[in-house]
Amino acid sequence: MNIGVFLPTGQDQWAPVGDPRDLIGFARRAEQLGFASLFVNDSLLTPRIEPLTMLAAVTPVTERIRLGTGALLPVLRRPVQTAQTLASVDQLSGGRLTVAVGAAFPGRFGRPLHELSQVPWERRFARLDETVALWRALWAGATEFHGEFHSFPELPPATRPFRPQGPPIWLGGATPAALARTGRRYDGWLPYPPDPADYATGLAAVRQAAREAGRAPEAVTPALFVNVRIDEDPEAARRTMDAYVRSNYGLPLEEVEHIQAIALGTPEQVAATLRRYTQAGARQVVARLGALELKGQYEQLERLADLVAPTVPTAPTAALVRPASR
């Protein structure tokens, strides 16, 4: 199992007593501690550092750690320009990029994004699939592209990614349609089901869809997005996570824990929760740390590293760079 973490790019995490440039030190420390990946998330509804800008900033100060989006919302960006940006980050990182994408959710977290982007809400999943197909065509050197939503009778030479096939593209989502699409079209799966049993059922559906599409089931990387808060006092962990999700979503923890995977409590309790997901089939775990300020994010990063030390790879000596002091 590979363990990764999310960079706390939300303004609520770094603004109160810090500086967004402190996120560079956070990225360095994550690599120093041996974490396998560093992810960023995406939104226009809460203030944050734009994800692809953030990845470009940490690319030259890291050497080994994989860089990822979880999940990038292609509807927020023009597709040809996004393909160029993703290929550029992949080149600059030496092929360390993984791109997890999503189509946004119904309600106040989905439709407003489409309205801000002046893109119809209807057929958003088909639009997402076609956008990914356009990226892959550009990276492969296509000179034209014709689809339902995007049509280019002539395409100029595109920026090529580090790897000829481009960065792996994962899908976030756990509806039956998303599971089928993941198995047929995508390189990985990054859901956050609140019940490990649902993860196991979903992964089985993804692999079955891959077989039916003539793909090897192992071609789809089974990953997990999970919210983590480690504290010796389980009630304190719960209170802090409640404040964190209210800040992110405007919802109490008792609602969010019915929607998203959450591992909180003592180190033993968090380890037990993560173990249930790995037993369900997850092989790459990306943890979003439940702390509102950057100091708390650093503390949780250290605690998670202590907890999962036997499972994270050891960072090469050359990559051990201490975070910049302020």
Side-chain angles (χ1 to χ4, degrees):
M1 178 179 64
N2 288 329
I3 303 288
V5 292
F6 275 87
L7 266 168
T9 56
Q11 189 168 292
D12 285 346
Q13 278 80 64
W14 52 260
V17 291
D19 183 308
R21 289 169 293 184
D22 291 329
L23 296 172
I24 301 298
F26 189 96
R28 288 171 168 165
R29 185 58 177 161
E31 181 166 81
Q32 180 181 16
L33 289 169
F35 284 98
S37 59
L38 193 66
F39 273 63
V40 290
N41 51 24
D42 194 14
S43 179
L44 288 179
L45 303 181
T46 54
R48 69 185 63 235
I49 300 299
E50 194 279 326
L52 301 183
T53 303
M54 187 74 251
L55 292 184
V58 302
T59 288
V61 299
T62 57
E63 298 180 9
R64 172 196 56 79
I65 199 166
R66 290 202 62 78
L67 308 175
T69 63
L72 191 74
L73 302 174
V75 70
L76 305 184
R77 300 164 178 83
R78 301 304 301 165
V80 174
Q81 290 85 340
T82 304
Q84 181 184 34
T85 304
L86 292 171
S88 298
V89 173
D90 196 46
Q91 283 280 5
L92 291 169
S93 68
R96 289 186 283 139
L97 180 64
T98 295
V99 184
V101 298
F105 297 98
R108 59 177 171 155
F109 300 114
R111 285 183 179 272
L113 292 173
H114 284 69
E115 292 169 1
L116 287 167
S117 303
Q118 299 181 315
V119 175
W121 173 255
E122 292 73 24
R123 294 187 55 73
R124 63 192 184 280
F125 298 112
R127 183 184 295 273
L128 172 65
D129 289 343
E130 185 176 294
T131 298
V132 171
L134 172 56
W135 292 348
R136 287 171 167 162
L138 283 163
W139 296 334
T143 57
E144 59 182 299
F145 183 89
H146 301 282
E148 178 182 353
F149 307 99
H150 309 293
S151 185
F152 300 96
E154 185 175 348
L155 288 168
T159 303
R160 298 295 182 91
F162 184 83
R163 292 155 290 186
Q165 71 276 22
I169 302 180
W170 299 356
L171 184 65
T175 65
L179 299 175
R181 290 163 53 239
T182 301
R184 291 195 303 263
R185 302 171 182 266
Y186 290 86
D187 304 307
W189 183 46
L190 185 66
Y192 47 52
D195 188 337
D198 291 335
Y199 187 94
T201 301
L203 181 57
V206 167
R207 288 174 169 168
Q208 180 59 33
R211 292 187 191 94
E212 292 172 356
R215 305 178 68 201
E218 297 75 19
V220 182
T221 299
L224 172 74
F225 178 139
V226 59
N227 299 279
V228 172
R229 174 71 193 187
I230 303 170
D231 199 305
E232 293 299 334
D233 180 352
E235 288 305 313
R238 188 168 184 85
R239 287 194 299 271
T240 305
M241 183 63 83
D242 180 69
Y244 178 78
V245 298
R246 285 178 187 271
S247 174
N248 272 277
Y249 300 119
L251 297 173
L253 177 59
E254 62 186 15
E255 291 186 32
V256 175
E257 62 190 351
H258 292 295
I259 303 169
Q260 295 188 353
I262 294 178
L264 60 78
T266 66
E268 294 77 15
Q269 289 172 322
V270 170
T273 299
L274 296 179
R275 191 178 305 116
R276 286 194 289 273
Y277 280 101
T278 59
Q279 290 170 345
R283 291 296 173 265
Q284 296 197 27
V285 174
V286 189
R288 185 169 62 176
L289 305 176
L292 281 175
E293 296 183 355
L294 197 56
K295 178 182 177 182
Q297 288 279 332
Y298 267 106
E299 291 171 352
Q300 287 296 302
L301 184 71
E302 300 283 342
R303 290 183 182 182
L304 182 60
D306 289 341
L307 180 66
V308 303
T311 69
V312 296
T314 302
T317 301
L320 302 187
V321 182
R322 292 188 180 277
S325 59
R326 293 187 59 80

